[in-house]
Amino acid sequence: NRGGGGGNNNRDGQGGGDPNDNSNWSRGKAVPVELMEAGEGKSDEEKAVKRINVNDLLDMRLNFLDPPSSWEEEECATKPPPVVLWDAPTRVTDIEEASKAPRIGGDVSRNDKKRGKGGKPNPNDTAPPLEDCKPIQVNEETRWKAKVMSKDGKEAEKEDAESSEEILRQAMLILNKLSLTKFDKLSDDFINCGIGRDIECLTGAVSLIVTYAQEQQHFSSMYAGLCLKLANTPMEGIDAGSKKGKKFKKILLTRCQTEFETDSATKIAEATKGITNEEEIEYHANLIKKHYLGHMRFIGELYKGDLISIKIMLFCLPALLKGEDEAHLNEVDEEKVECFAKLMTVIGSSLEMQSGAMKNIGKADAAESLADCWKIVEIMAGRRKQECP
């Protein structure tokens, strides 16, 4: 208001006035026709609208609780069975009493009201009486106990920490969680879990890494990175008096060599010993083949990380292009050729570059050995073309 201050001021700036005077608020009196009561309205059209009182509507709804009168006729087609008709005069009273009654809980104590006719137990009561229940007997010697809750928890943890099985179990749990996004943290946990305490623990840890790399080919580079980190980490209980990572590399190369030289047929025979089901034998054979291919890829990733020398790789590659023994040198082993292809897809480019660099400084042995491998591949491809009709 532009005039004086305060309260209900009119346009002239004078205070006061009737607060109930709504003459200037004609907009607030525009009530919709649908909300007017009977007799309200200015025009004849507004007064002519038929309206029903809310109480009449409630009475109308309550009347519909009773069954329709058409159901009383015997020839009514929509009449339901007599069971669903609850037309007792005490219907409303029964409903009110049932709603006010206390709810039945899950009391399993002995109660005579739960017994049926003749004092027999109610067949619907499945829980036995509380008096007939026997307490659970717990064997303190065989039951599982949390180390935190035991009195000698610190001593138990110390004993477990000293056992090689517990260390390898913790290492396996960390490998199960290892991923590219959590590699830095979990790899540190893997190294610090105690695997470098002695040769036994370190050998078991290397076996776990190789096994996981064989089963998870798509993570071969990650496990090779873990090996590279282990090789660059000094082991207090192992590397004392020797070069850092030397013993770890030796254990790793020994395990990789053993896996490489073990024939797949021998592994399949050992895995399927005593099994007669052909489908199960085929399953184990495919699993071993998958592991061997994964091992080839893992070896390639180790070479790319400088954990395996080019000399070892040039020893492995020609062996994959030969037969099983001296009597079958010229025969082609398709599984080994597949391993050769898998290995070359991983290290082919790096191998070509390193052998070329060595050739430039006067060491042509690597380049010549690699060229001989490619000649064997070309001869094998030429033989297949000739054999085709």
Side-chain angles (χ1 to χ4, degrees), residues 247-261:
K247 292 189 177 180
F248 169 78
K249 291 181 181 179
K250 184 178 180 180
I251 296 172
L252 178 63
L253 292 178
T254 303
R255 176 58 192 272
C256 291
Q257 182 181 1
T258 304
E259 291 289 333
F260 178 81
E261 293 178 350

Side-chain angles (χ1 to χ4, degrees), residues 204-243:
V206 170
S207 299
L208 287 175
I209 295 173
V210 174
T211 303
Y212 274 69
Q214 292 175 352
E215 295 177 352
Q216 304 173 14
Q217 300 183 27
H218 48 288
F219 287 135
S220 296
S221 59
M222 181 182 68
Y223 292 113
L226 179 61
C227 292
L228 181 61
K229 191 170 183 178
L230 282 167
N232 295 327
T233 303
M235 303 289 180
E236 296 181 358
I238 298 176
D239 291 334
S242 62
K243 189 178 179 181

